[in-house]
Amino acid sequence: MSPAFPRLGGGNPQLRPDGRLGHLLSIEGLPERILLEILNTAESFLQIGERAVKKTPTLRGKTVVNLFFESSTRTRTTFELAAKRLSADVLNINVATSSHNKGESLLDTIDNLMAMHVDGFVMRHSEAGAAHLVARHVDQDAWVVNAGDGRHAHPTQGLLDVFTILRHKGPVDQLKVAIVGDILHSRVARSQIHALSILGCPDIRVVAPKTLLPAAVEHLGVRVFHDLDEGLEGVDVVTMLRLQQERMEANLLPSSNEYFRQYGLTDKRLERADPDAIVLHPGPMNRGVEIDSVVADGPRAVILPQVTHGLAIRMAVLTSLAGARDRDLHRDHG
Amino acid sequence: MSPAFPRLGGGNPQLRPDGRLGHLLSIEGLPERILLEILNTAESFLQIGERAVKKTPTLRGKTVVNLFFESSTRTRTTFELAAKRLSADVLNINVATSSHNKGESLLDTIDNLMAMHVDGFVMRHSEAGAAHLVARHVDQDAWVVNAGDGRHAHPTQGLLDVFTILRHKGPVDQLKVAIVGDILHSRVARSQIHALSILGCPDIRVVAPKTLLPAAVEHLGVRVFHDLDEGLEGVDVVTMLRLQQERMEANLLPSSNEYFRQYGLTDKRLERADPDAIVLHPGPMNRGVEIDSVVADGPRAVILPQVTHGLAIRMAVLTSLAGARDRDLHRDHG
Amino acid sequence: MSPAFPRLGGGNPQLRPDGRLGHLLSIEGLPERILLEILNTAESFLQIGERAVKKTPTLRGKTVVNLFFESSTRTRTTFELAAKRLSADVLNINVATSSHNKGESLLDTIDNLMAMHVDGFVMRHSEAGAAHLVARHVDQDAWVVNAGDGRHAHPTQGLLDVFTILRHKGPVDQLKVAIVGDILHSRVARSQIHALSILGCPDIRVVAPKTLLPAAVEHLGVRVFHDLDEGLEGVDVVTMLRLQQERMEANLLPSSNEYFRQYGLTDKRLERADPDAIVLHPGPMNRGVEIDSVVADGPRAVILPQVTHGLAIRMAVLTSLAGARDRDLHRDHG
């Protein structure tokens, strides 16, 4: 592993010279038109899941590598299924559990896979900036999707969140959105905040105890609440974040019971929100910790639609990235 | 993991209102016509393995999830190959070794996969009734194949056993069948007994020491023997069960040497059976524990044909389950 | 696991009665025409990696089993990708980490997979001769590729090495080649030496400390050097071997620093070689142990082209083996 990743920011390595999407690394810095393009493409993929033959030839003959330096069966599965429904070949490489890398550096691993002419990487890594590092390295030869890098970003999650909000509540420029829980460690929160901001959401709130908030969080353009009832007042959308068990162990929180009492979403608590408010959660849920089962399984939860939308978003992202590259090929050879 | 699974029995969740197979959960309770339909379909799939192109488009565009809460490369492999030869996309999810579930409940995992519109689940679990629980939960949205749940059932094994018996010995209503070994812990024994009973086998025997027999085993309609020579007398079919090493450790048995002396199948022992008797074993074999290599590799063993038949049976089951669901789709949309 | 594998040598089980390639087990003993056939076929597969649709239907409907008794994500990945680009179905079975075999013998595992009519095995095993044992066992029913057996052979590596040398330096009968490092434990060295010898390379050198050389290494037709500068004098090709960390632990070597000082390839050291010399490494590299990054990333390294060529070689080998078997099928049925 490369010991030090480059500082983030400074240029936008995910846009190509022609203005199209070259890599998907973070929502931050994406122009609104790119977001809208992905959201529109996802719309058209939604219906494929309803068909008897859930398959399109869009990525036939392409190779997508799921390169996971952190285990995550759930995320790997959605990307694998998205790629297979697009007819791509998929290689799953789980560096977390495999003995293969034998000290090989991240970039040597990438170079090797590129030498086999794979088309793209879906990459999860525990360190912020890992996907950026790879994207800078591969340049025009392949595309990179960040499937989560440390606390930094998880852009397809942010896209599926706003896709879900748009489909259930309409344009976000009229909405109040609250994100509740462990903002400090959450790439989910960060990605959703950026996506909502770009699309013009005027009222984004984060609700969390002080120990679970990043310093200077207001710079992200959000309002900060420490009290759940206040934060939920009149909102149209509530996103509950997963509470990692490790936070308790690190004494950032007293106990999961106490957390539930203060920040757990119950039907009672939800009464503060707009009567038509929807509830999101990135999964997997800790029932009884950050969310009560009555809410999780209730009529206002859109947690399973998020999963459905996540598949469509990932198909749209893969299609968009592969499409831009094919255009190059045709230009070079045509 | 859900701590308590529902009691088995009470209704037959594997049949659909139209009488077709909706899920394959256990042989118990299946009508004979369903068994015969699967066995006939399997017959037609047998020859695909002989071709240069071992592939049919039957399940093209379908997604089959191998959801294994217990590791079993062997069973997973046969289902994976069956699905791939039918042109389905396969997702392998090994919950036993993956770190992914992070305490997520079984039904939340299922809901997530269903939200991605997967078509069916092939499921192995250490607790009896787990597949029933999932089948009740998914209802019409997907189908479930039980690939082994605790000591309860392993229906495709039962089907491949009778398929093998039918092909080598003809109709079972003329046959004497002995099942030898650890009946107590064996879903294989249970599934074969049910399949033989439904097809009208008049003489089913179980041969085991008292410590490896379930209470009230006679209720299954079998005759009990504790002596191998007596049990094998004149039988047409001998099924040897695998002896789990754990049984010795739990002091249910003295030693594997002693077990072999009393219950191991040798050529000598086999003389008690009919001269044309065949020998089955579900694999993997413990040579020298429950079966002697001379028998295992001898002319009366049909252990490798069982494997071949198992693939055809699994292709038939997947085809049958997917076919019933496609009919619904056409009715809804047509 | 079978405790004792048969002695190697004695007959050439990789050739079929019709003289075509039946299995690929080792370079040793292959006729030159077989090597040339594979190298020529690989040439035609090279350009597939450049296309937008990287796929040919050559192995459609075939099943290739990656049967790994030693973990190796890198080697498994290249074979998996080669098979998928040829449109084969691939089953990955990692016996090293799976709990499945439960003491089942190697040949029982093979028999089971053959009973499912798989077409071929790509096999890695820690014991020399394991692939030969399986090839003798399967006979005409399936083909076997040795993807590394102990210290013995890794024939596709040898083929990709000579393929790379031929493409960058032309015919080997005019070349001087040095192989540097742990010759003793290296199936890579052994396979490359045999391939070069068969193709008529007149000057093959091995450079290593005495502790990392096999006894009677001269019988392989090589010249032995203990001093790197002397060994590199005027060579056209340098192959650097990976140094396994275990060698230091076994006190075969003083330290990795000391090893680098004596046998590590630096720009300075490379000045002894021909000015147009190329540098090979089988990967993964230990930068700063056997090779300096300046060389590894420099203009004379052909380490990434080796990876590209390795994919083409593996596609060629699978095509050749499957092709010979299909001819049988047509003869039998036509």
Side-chain angles (χ1 to χ4, degrees):
Chain A
M1 199 61 41
S2 195
F5 288 117
R7 289 262 151 207
L8 305 184
N12 193 339
Q14 51 190 343
L15 291 186
R16 296 153 42 95
D18 65 3
R20 303 187 75 191
L21 189 69
H23 308 284
L24 182 63
L25 306 177
S26 67
I27 302 287
E28 193 180 4
L30 281 188
E32 186 179 11
R33 68 173 167 80
I34 295 270
L35 257 70
L36 294 176
E37 183 196 306
I38 296 173
L39 295 168
N40 283 332
T41 310
E43 193 83 33
S44 70
F45 281 124
L46 266 190
Q47 38 112 2
I48 286 184
E50 315 279 338
R51 293 195 214 146
V53 175
K54 304 178 183 69
K55 199 121 181 165
T56 70
T58 318
L59 262 68
R60 212 177 75 75
K62 303 269 184 271
T63 309
V64 176
V65 180
N66 282 331
L67 189 59
F68 276 58
F69 292 85
E70 279 189 330
S71 279
S72 172
T73 303
R74 173 190 270 256
T75 302
R76 190 262 298 162
T77 300
T78 56
F79 275 106
E80 181 177 354
L81 190 51
K84 284 183 168 172
R85 291 216 170 139
L86 294 166
S87 303
D89 288 320
V90 180
L91 291 179
N92 289 317
I93 302 185
N94 193 339
V95 186
T97 62
S98 90
S99 66
H100 94 115
N101 66 340
K102 302 174 183 171
E104 188 183 39
S105 81
L106 171 58
L107 294 185
D108 277 341
T109 299
I110 297 293
D111 281 340
N112 260 280
L113 289 161
M114 281 209 301
M116 292 191 271
H117 296 291
V118 306
D119 295 274
F121 299 92
V122 173
M123 189 176 150
R124 169 162 288 196
H125 200 286
S126 60
E127 296 195 44
H132 282 70
L133 177 73
V134 171
R136 283 210 184 81
H137 184 69
V138 299
D139 198 27
Q140 303 186 309
D141 294 328
W143 42 262
V144 178
V145 177
N146 182 3
D149 60 332
R151 307 179 188 180
H152 175 238
H154 191 2
T156 56
Q157 180 73 43
L159 284 163
L160 77 88
D161 289 342
V162 296
F163 188 67
T164 302
I165 295 169
L166 287 167
R167 286 184 63 87
H168 284 87
K169 302 297 299 180
V172 303
D173 57 5
Q174 308 292 329
L175 300 179
K176 299 185 181 68
V177 178
I179 305 175
V180 182
D182 182 2
I183 311 290
L184 177 60
H185 303 92
S186 177
R187 49 197 176 200
V188 174
R190 210 171 294 263
S191 293
Q192 189 184 123
I193 291 168
H194 285 299
L196 288 168
S197 300
I198 291 167
L199 297 178
C201 180
D203 185 348
I204 310 174
R205 309 168 184 190
V206 296
V207 186
K210 288 204 178 82
T211 48
L212 295 182
L213 278 171
V217 63
E218 297 83 356
H219 292 186
L220 291 172
V222 299
R223 289 200 289 155
V224 176
F225 294 81
H226 301 304
D227 180 89
L228 181 58
D229 288 332
E230 287 177 28
L232 293 184
E233 194 65 50
V235 299
D236 305 286
V237 178
V238 187
T239 297
M240 300 306 298
L241 300 175
R242 173 178 173 80
L243 188 72
Q244 312 285 348
Q245 203 56 40
E246 305 92 275
R247 305 311 165 220
M248 246 74 77
E249 286 152 23
N251 290 319
L252 291 173
L253 290 171
S255 75
S256 59
N257 275 349
E258 177 60 18
Y259 184 82
F260 182 67
R261 209 186 54 75
Q262 282 194 52
Y263 293 99
L265 189 65
T266 60
D267 250 3
K268 181 82 191 146
R269 240 69 201 267
L270 198 49
E271 286 176 12
R272 292 298 189 106
D274 183 86
D276 292 325
I278 56 171
V279 177
L280 285 76
H281 189 294
M285 290 184 280
N286 292 307
R287 291 162 177 270
V289 179
E290 72 264 0
I291 191 165
D292 191 60
S293 276
V294 174
V295 177
D297 302 327
R300 295 156 96 180
V302 293
I303 298 168
L304 291 174
Q306 282 179 280
V307 177
T308 306
H309 299 155
L311 187 61
I313 285 287
R314 276 144 196 154
M315 290 173 78
V317 167
L318 298 181
T319 298
S320 173
L321 292 168
R325 204 168 160 248
D326 270 359
R327 196 171 288 194
D328 293 344
L329 270 174
H330 291 136
R331 201 177 50 222
D332 293 353
H333 294 261
Chain B
M1 198 61 40
S2 194
F5 288 118
R7 288 263 151 206
L8 305 184
N12 193 338
Q14 50 190 344
L15 291 186
R16 297 153 42 96
D18 66 3
R20 305 187 74 191
L21 188 69
H23 307 285
L24 182 64
L25 306 177
S26 67
I27 302 286
E28 193 181 4
L30 282 188
E32 187 180 11
R33 68 174 166 81
I34 296 271
L35 258 69
L36 295 176
E37 184 195 306
I38 296 172
L39 296 168
N40 283 333
T41 310
E43 193 83 34
S44 71
F45 280 123
L46 265 191
Q47 38 112 3
I48 286 183
E50 315 279 338
R51 292 195 214 146
V53 176
K54 304 178 183 68
K55 200 123 181 163
T56 72
T58 317
L59 262 68
R60 211 177 75 76
K62 303 269 184 272
T63 310
V64 177
V65 180
N66 282 330
L67 189 60
F68 276 58
F69 292 85
E70 278 189 330
S71 280
S72 172
T73 303
R74 174 190 270 257
T75 301
R76 189 263 297 162
T77 300
T78 57
F79 275 106
E80 181 176 354
L81 190 52
K84 285 183 169 172
R85 292 219 170 136
L86 294 165
S87 303
D89 288 320
V90 180
L91 292 179
N92 289 316
I93 302 186
N94 192 340
V95 186
T97 62
S98 89
S99 65
H100 95 114
N101 67 339
K102 301 174 183 172
E104 188 183 38
S105 81
L106 170 58
L107 294 185
D108 277 341
T109 300
I110 298 293
D111 281 339
N112 259 280
L113 288 161
M114 281 209 300
M116 291 191 271
H117 297 290
V118 306
D119 294 273
F121 298 93
V122 173
M123 189 175 150
R124 169 162 287 196
H125 200 286
S126 60
E127 295 195 45
H132 282 70
L133 178 73
V134 171
R136 283 210 185 81
H137 184 70
V138 300
D139 199 27
Q140 303 185 309
D141 293 328
W143 43 262
V144 178
V145 176
N146 183 2
D149 60 333
R151 306 180 189 179
H152 176 238
H154 192 0
T156 56
Q157 180 74 42
L159 284 162
L160 77 89
D161 289 342
V162 297
F163 189 67
T164 303
I165 295 169
L166 286 167
R167 286 184 62 87
H168 284 87
K169 302 297 298 178
V172 303
D173 57 2
Q174 308 292 329
L175 300 179
K176 300 185 181 69
V177 178
I179 305 175
V180 182
D182 182 2
I183 311 290
L184 176 59
H185 302 92
S186 176
R187 49 197 177 200
V188 174
R190 210 170 294 262
S191 293
Q192 189 184 124
I193 291 168
H194 286 298
L196 288 168
S197 300
I198 290 167
L199 297 178
C201 180
D203 186 348
I204 310 174
R205 310 167 184 188
V206 297
V207 186
K210 288 204 177 83
T211 48
L212 294 182
L213 277 172
V217 64
E218 297 84 355
H219 291 186
L220 291 172
V222 299
R223 289 201 289 155
V224 176
F225 294 81
H226 299 303
D227 181 87
L228 182 57
D229 287 333
E230 287 177 27
L232 293 184
E233 194 64 49
V235 298
D236 304 287
V237 178
V238 187
T239 297
M240 299 307 299
L241 299 175
R242 174 180 172 79
L243 188 72
Q244 312 285 348
Q245 202 56 39
E246 305 91 277
R247 306 309 166 221
M248 245 74 77
E249 285 153 22
N251 291 319
L252 292 174
L253 290 172
S255 75
S256 59
N257 276 349
E258 176 61 16
Y259 183 83
F260 182 66
R261 209 186 54 76
Q262 283 194 53
Y263 293 100
L265 189 65
T266 59
D267 251 4
K268 182 81 190 146
R269 240 66 201 268
L270 198 48
E271 287 176 11
R272 292 296 189 110
D274 183 85
D276 292 324
I278 56 171
V279 177
L280 285 77
H281 189 294
M285 290 185 279
N286 291 308
R287 291 162 177 269
V289 179
E290 73 265 1
I291 191 165
D292 191 59
S293 276
V294 175
V295 178
D297 302 326
R300 295 156 96 180
V302 292
I303 298 168
L304 291 174
Q306 283 178 280
V307 176
T308 306
H309 299 155
L311 187 61
I313 285 286
R314 276 144 195 155
M315 289 174 78
V317 167
L318 297 182
T319 298
S320 174
L321 292 168
R325 204 167 159 249
D326 270 359
R327 195 172 288 194
D328 293 344
L329 269 175
H330 291 137
R331 201 177 49 223
D332 294 352
H333 295 259
Chain C
M1 200 58 43
S2 194
F5 288 117
R7 287 263 152 207
L8 305 184
N12 192 339
Q14 51 190 342
L15 291 186
R16 297 154 42 97
D18 66 2
R20 303 188 75 191
L21 188 69
H23 308 283
L24 181 64
L25 306 176
S26 67
I27 302 286
E28 193 179 4
L30 282 187
E32 186 181 10
R33 68 174 166 81
I34 296 270
L35 258 70
L36 294 176
E37 183 195 307
I38 296 172
L39 295 168
N40 283 332
T41 309
E43 192 83 34
S44 70
F45 280 124
L46 264 190
Q47 37 113 1
I48 286 183
E50 315 279 337
R51 292 196 216 146
V53 176
K54 304 177 184 69
K55 200 122 181 163
T56 70
T58 318
L59 261 68
R60 211 177 74 76
K62 303 268 184 272
T63 309
V64 176
V65 181
N66 282 331
L67 189 60
F68 276 57
F69 293 85
E70 279 189 331
S71 279
S72 172
T73 303
R74 174 191 270 256
T75 302
R76 191 262 298 161
T77 300
T78 56
F79 275 106
E80 181 176 353
L81 190 52
K84 285 184 167 171
R85 292 218 170 137
L86 294 166
S87 303
D89 288 321
V90 180
L91 292 178
N92 288 317
I93 301 185
N94 192 341
V95 186
T97 62
S98 89
S99 65
H100 94 115
N101 66 341
K102 302 174 183 170
E104 188 183 38
S105 80
L106 171 58
L107 294 185
D108 278 341
T109 299
I110 298 293
D111 281 339
N112 259 279
L113 288 162
M114 281 208 302
M116 292 191 270
H117 296 290
V118 306
D119 295 273
F121 299 92
V122 173
M123 189 176 149
R124 170 162 287 196
H125 200 287
S126 61
E127 295 195 43
H132 281 71
L133 177 73
V134 171
R136 283 209 184 81
H137 184 69
V138 300
D139 199 27
Q140 303 187 308
D141 294 327
W143 44 261
V144 178
V145 176
N146 183 3
D149 61 332
R151 306 179 188 180
H152 176 238
H154 191 2
T156 56
Q157 180 73 42
L159 284 163
L160 77 88
D161 289 342
V162 295
F163 189 68
T164 302
I165 295 169
L166 286 167
R167 286 185 62 88
H168 284 87
K169 302 297 298 179
V172 303
D173 57 4
Q174 308 291 330
L175 301 179
K176 300 185 181 68
V177 178
I179 305 175
V180 182
D182 182 1
I183 311 290
L184 177 60
H185 302 93
S186 177
R187 49 197 177 201
V188 174
R190 211 171 292 264
S191 294
Q192 189 184 125
I193 291 168
H194 285 298
L196 289 168
S197 300
I198 291 167
L199 298 177
C201 180
D203 185 349
I204 310 174
R205 309 168 184 188
V206 296
V207 186
K210 289 205 177 82
T211 49
L212 295 182
L213 278 171
V217 63
E218 297 83 355
H219 292 186
L220 292 171
V222 299
R223 289 200 289 156
V224 176
F225 294 80
H226 300 304
D227 180 88
L228 182 57
D229 288 333
E230 287 176 27
L232 292 184
E233 193 65 49
V235 298
D236 304 286
V237 178
V238 187
T239 297
M240 299 307 297
L241 299 175
R242 172 179 174 80
L243 188 72
Q244 313 285 348
Q245 202 56 39
E246 306 91 276
R247 305 311 165 220
M248 244 74 78
E249 285 152 22
N251 291 319
L252 292 174
L253 290 172
S255 75
S256 59
N257 275 349
E258 177 61 18
Y259 184 82
F260 182 67
R261 209 186 54 75
Q262 282 194 53
Y263 294 100
L265 189 65
T266 59
D267 250 3
K268 181 83 189 146
R269 239 69 201 265
L270 198 48
E271 287 175 11
R272 292 297 189 108
D274 184 85
D276 293 323
I278 56 172
V279 176
L280 285 77
H281 190 294
M285 290 184 280
N286 292 307
R287 291 161 176 270
V289 179
E290 71 265 0
I291 191 166
D292 190 60
S293 277
V294 175
V295 178
D297 303 325
R300 296 156 96 181
V302 292
I303 298 168
L304 292 174
Q306 281 179 281
V307 177
T308 306
H309 299 156
L311 187 61
I313 285 286
R314 277 144 196 156
M315 290 174 79
V317 167
L318 298 181
T319 298
S320 172
L321 292 168
R325 204 167 160 248
D326 270 359
R327 196 172 288 193
D328 292 344
L329 270 174
H330 292 136
R331 200 177 52 223
D332 293 354
H333 295 259

